[in-house]
């Protein structure tokens, strides 16, 4: 896993001092090459040994090893593909090719990091909960609503009773028919929507199981989930970060869907419905 992704992945389990170091490194990754361990410690008002222990806890020999790994990772991200003669002769097509390659690499890294952050057992548990549920409720707002709608449609195609809810004011009412064993799949990027947290809390009181999909941050929605799936997608360019989040999120949902399709009854229902999946 890339060092910055590893730091994000471990941040929630760090001590207060370690989180201060982690936040500084994440916010100033491009400037880290100019900081010695002592300078970093001085900037944060902590001991140099805290910086060294932080690096070693992440699996590095020491701070220089961590700094080198971060610099190397950033260089790979920022590098462009080497132009061979064929590409050089493409003229006006070259910028488009570079942009396409950059997007592909960034998406691949986001999907890979997201996969590492989610234990396989958790993804299997989500698929199993949906398989056993009487009803599956899928909710989300904005862009997340599009993904929650898509997974609801796919679940219906394999014979699951799937209900997509999109109006925040009616979400709690929409799930009022939920019973023990039913599943609420909540997609919320930052996990802070009050309406979704309220609905998740009521759903669990009725004996249902809540599955949240959010960014890998400490957030309110994760606290209400029985199973929390996490998305990692970071880029300084907002337009790129949006695309990376959507790609990694879709990967998680697709993986759950594929696990469900390993059930012969589900696969047979999908073939009978004969609808294209996009």
């Amino acid at each position: 896993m890339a060092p910055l992704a590893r730091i994000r992945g471990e941040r929630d389990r760090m001590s207060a001092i370690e989180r201060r170091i982690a936040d500084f490194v994440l916010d100033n990754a491009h400037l880290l090459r100019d900081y010695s361990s002592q300078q970093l410690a001085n900037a944060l008002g902590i001991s140099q040994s805290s910086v060294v222990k932080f690096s070693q806890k992440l699996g590095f020999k020491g701070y220089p090893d961590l700094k080198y790994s971060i610099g190397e990772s950033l260089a790979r991200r920022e590098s462009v593909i080497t132009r061979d003669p064929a590409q050089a002769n493409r003229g006006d097509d070259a910028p488009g090719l570079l942009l396409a390659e950059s997007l592909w690499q960034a998406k691949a890294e986001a999907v890979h990091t997201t996969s590492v952050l989610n234990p396989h057992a958790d993804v299997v548990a989500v698929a199993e909960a949906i398989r056993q549920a009487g009803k599956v409720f899928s909710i989300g707002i904005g862009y997340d609503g599009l993904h929650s709608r898509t997974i609801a449609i796919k679940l219906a195609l394999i014979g699951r009773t799937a209900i997509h809810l999109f109006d925040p004011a009616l979400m709690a009412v929409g799930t009022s028919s939920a019973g023990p064993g039913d599943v609420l799949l909540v997609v919320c990027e930052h996990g802070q929507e009050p309406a979704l947290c309220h609905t998740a809390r009521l759903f669990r009181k009725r004996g249902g199981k809540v599955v949240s999909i959010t960014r890998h941050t400490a957030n309110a929605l994760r606290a209400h989930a029985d199973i929390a799936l996490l998305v990692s997608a970071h880029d300084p360019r907002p337009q790129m970060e949006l695309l990376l989040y959507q790609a990694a999120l879709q990967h998680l949902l697709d993986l759950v869907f594929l696990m469900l399709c390993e059930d012969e009854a589900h696969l047979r229902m999908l073939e009978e419905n004969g609808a294209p999946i996009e």
Side-chain angles (χ1 to χ4, degrees), residues 184-259:
L184 176 65
L185 184 62
V186 191
V187 184
C188 183
E189 181 173 1
H190 298 291
Q192 303 291 357
E193 288 289 345
L196 299 185
C197 294
H198 176 64
T199 301
R201 186 167 56 250
L202 292 179
F203 198 88
R204 293 187 71 184
K205 285 184 178 180
R206 299 187 182 104
K209 181 168 290 187
V210 176
V211 177
S212 68
I213 305 181
T214 69
R215 279 187 176 272
H216 188 257
T217 57
N219 60 72
L221 186 57
R222 285 178 64 182
H224 297 297
D226 295 283
I227 307 173
L229 297 183
L230 308 171
V231 177
S232 177
H234 302 275
D235 195 279
R237 298 160 294 180
Q239 72 276 24
M240 181 68 83
E241 187 167 56
L242 171 64
L243 299 179
L244 301 186
Y245 168 76
Q246 292 178 338
L249 168 61
Q250 191 60 56
H251 172 78
L252 271 180
L253 294 173
D254 287 347
L255 183 56
V256 171
F257 178 71
L258 286 178
M259 287 183 175

Side-chain angles (χ1 to χ4, degrees), residues 3-5 7-8 11 21-30:
L4 294 179
I7 292 173
R8 293 188 186 98
R11 187 187 181 282
I21 301 173
D23 291 340
F24 184 91
V25 171
L26 292 172
D27 293 339
N28 302 277
H30 285 83

Side-chain angles (χ1 to χ4, degrees), residues 95-111:
L97 291 172
L98 297 177
L99 182 61
E101 178 69 13
S102 173
L103 177 60
W104 181 87
Q105 291 179 346
K107 281 186 175 181
E109 181 178 342
V111 168

